[in-house]
Amino acid sequence: MYQVLLYIGLGTAFLAFFLCLLSHARVNKINRATKELDWEAVANITGDLATVKKTVQTLNNRLNGMHSSKVTDEELIRQFAQQQSAKPNGRMIGG
């Protein structure tokens, strides 16, 4: 029984060591890839990307008609006022 526990413990330790080596290799690969990276250029690209995204969203909203309303608010208020004044309220005056 103790031998089984010993082999399970050793296997787990070797597996953990192997996974640590893989993680170390991946981190080193990322460090080598970003070593000569110009972070100021990355910041500028990020800002440009945000500007382009905002422009595309604005264009999509215009194409969908969200910013170009066909009926203005003043026209809606005028129509509402005309409907209110034209309808009798059903009450009789006097009497």
Side-chain angles (χ1 to χ4, degrees), residues 10 12 54 59 61 63 66 69-70 72:
L10 285 173
T12 304
K54 179 72 173 169
L59 179 62
N61 289 339
L63 291 175
M66 293 177 69
S69 62
K70 295 177 180 140
T72 62

Side-chain angles (χ1 to χ4, degrees), residues 14-92:
F14 283 126
L15 179 65
F17 183 70
F18 179 71
L19 291 175
C20 286
L21 288 178
L22 285 177
S23 298
H24 181 68
R26 290 181 67 180
V27 169
N28 279 339
K29 183 179 176 183
I30 291 171
N31 281 341
R32 280 192 304 258
T34 59
K35 189 174 187 178
E36 299 297 323
L37 189 62
D38 183 17
W39 290 106
E40 187 173 327
V42 171
N44 289 338
I45 289 171
T46 303
D48 292 342
L49 183 65
T51 303
V52 170
K53 181 180 176 184
K54 179 72 173 169
T55 304
V56 169
Q57 285 177 342
T58 304
L59 179 62
N60 283 338
N61 289 339
R62 285 184 187 152
L63 291 175
N64 290 334
M66 293 177 69
H67 287 291
S68 59
S69 62
K70 295 177 180 140
V71 179
T72 62
D73 294 335
E74 291 82 21
E75 288 178 18
L76 289 175
I77 292 171
R78 203 173 311 119
Q79 288 175 359
F80 182 73
Q82 288 174 355
Q83 288 176 356
Q84 289 295 327
S85 64
K87 289 183 183 178
N89 60 6
R91 297 183 192 162
M92 298 184 78

